[in-house]
């Protein structure tokens, strides 16, 4: 479906839980302040109903995210169910990678198309400082196991001044011998991201050009997102930049986001959302015999969220950011 700025919306991010096994300092350093009881989190059946309605509107690409999606029981089988919905072309996942090795066989069995793993440092102590947990070895083994199994993989790194910014070249070197893309995501002023400053990709990109004079723009399509990619001679993978703060990629925005509590967000930076709960849990739509009506009502609300997409985000005007949820509640 197209929105009112004629953008084709074919991608949805589904946050399946707001729980996480890490405590990243820019995301949820102290855990969840607003503890959402499990009964308020969408069940897999409810998520699948939303997915059916979205697919009927031409949404073909699904990202499973969280919190940490792999901490929710049976996440791999949920991915398998998503894959079976007519019209769904691609199901990918964003994960911190801690449980990747353990769940990899089930993820592969269920047809996961690709995974994005978040990794901000290669130093074990620093990993513990950034994420609150000593899990770097588990994440690194998850990455290597997934690559060995042939799963398409991208790394997402958020650099912070005075924390890990000087590690950019080490992180980048992971793409030298491994078939993976590494993307640098600018820290966004969402949730605890407001307490820190980003490292601007503009600066990174110019440093990269100086360091690698043979750098070339990589025009191939690498995924669903707003990253721009570059190729470094001799590297197997590419380097991507997701410049949320100043690189206004909103003209090609293709997405909506569903929170784990059933709120459909037209844009990351604004707090408004279309609530799907009245349909998913409303008396008049309950039961197998009402499935058709339920999906039709969900379609209507998804259309509404798409039609409410603003022309662009407002990250560069801090006072206009109205999103108050933390990133773990939104799914990134
Ligand atoms: N737990 C999974 C993970 O870490 O990949 C999925 C959810 S996490 C919220 C998705 C992505 O959002 C991660 O790559 C994380 O680094 C990123 N993220 C969290 N808070 C952010 C912020 N304030 N600005 C930019 N990226 C952020
Ligand atoms: Fe968890 Fe991902 Fe947030 Fe880190 S960024 S606390 S891994 S949800």
């Amino acid at each position: 479906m197209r929105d009112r700025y004629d953008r084709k919306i074919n991608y949805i991010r589904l946050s399946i839980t707001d729980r996480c096994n890490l405590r990243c300092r820019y995301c949820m350093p102290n855990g969840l302040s607003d503890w959402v009881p499990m009964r308020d989190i969408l069940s897999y059946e409810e998520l699948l109903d939303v997915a059916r309605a979205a697919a009927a509107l031409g949404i073909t690409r699904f990202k499973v995210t969280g919190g940490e999606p792999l901490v929710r029981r049976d996440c791999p089988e949920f991915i398998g169910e998503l894959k079976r919905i007519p019209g769904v072309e691609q199901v990918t996942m964003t994960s911190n990678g801690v449980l990747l090795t353990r769940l990899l066989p089930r993820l592969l069995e269920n047809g996961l198309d690709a995974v994005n793993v978040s990794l901000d440092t290669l130093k074990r102590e620093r990993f513990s400082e950034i994420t609150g947990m000593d899990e770097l070895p588990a994440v690194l083994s998850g990455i290597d196991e997934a690559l060995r199994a042939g799963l398409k993989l991208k790394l997402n790194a958020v650099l912070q001044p005075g924390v890990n910014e000087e590690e950019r070249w080490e992180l980048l070197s992971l793409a030298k011998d491994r078939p993976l893309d590494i993307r640098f995501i600018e820290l966004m002023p969402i949730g605890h991201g407001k307490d820190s400053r980003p490292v601007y990709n503009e600066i990174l990109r110019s440093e990269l050009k100086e360091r690698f004079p043979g750098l070339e723009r990589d025009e191939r399509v690498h995924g669903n997102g707003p990253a721009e990619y570059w190729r470094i001679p001799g590297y197997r993978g590419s380097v991507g930049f997701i410049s949320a703060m100043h690189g206004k990629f909103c003209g090609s925005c293709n997405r909506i986001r569903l929170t784990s509590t059933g709120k459909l967000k037209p844009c990351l930076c604004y707090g408004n959302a279309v609530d799907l709960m009245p349909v998913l849990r409303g008396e008049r739509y309950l039961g197998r015999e009402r499935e058709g009506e339920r999906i039709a009502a969900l379609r209507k609300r998804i259309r509404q969220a798409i039609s409410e997409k603003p022309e662009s985000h407002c990250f560069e005007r801090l006072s206009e950011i109205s999103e108050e949820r933390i990133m773990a509640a939104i799914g990134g």
Side-chain angles (χ1 to χ4, degrees), residues 243-267:
S243 310
M245 298 303 289
H246 294 100
K248 278 265 179 184
F249 41 62
C250 303
S252 57
C253 185
N254 60 352
R255 63 198 52 202
I256 47 177
R257 295 174 162 86
L258 183 68
T259 70
S260 56
T261 54
K263 313 290 180 280
L264 195 56
K265 280 177 61 57
C267 176

Side-chain angles (χ1 to χ4, degrees), residues 20 22-24 26-28 66-68 96 328:
C20 188
L22 296 185
R23 293 286 177 270
C24 301
Y26 50 75
C27 184
M28 54 155 142
E68 171 51 37
N96 59 32

Side-chain angles (χ1 to χ4, degrees), residues 26 65-68 94-96 118 156 158 186-188 190 193 327:
Y26 50 75
T65 176
E68 171 51 37
T94 296
S95 166
N96 59 32
S118 305
N156 288 339
V158 175
E186 280 178 352
L187 185 76
M188 293 171 234
I190 294 279
M327 206 62 117

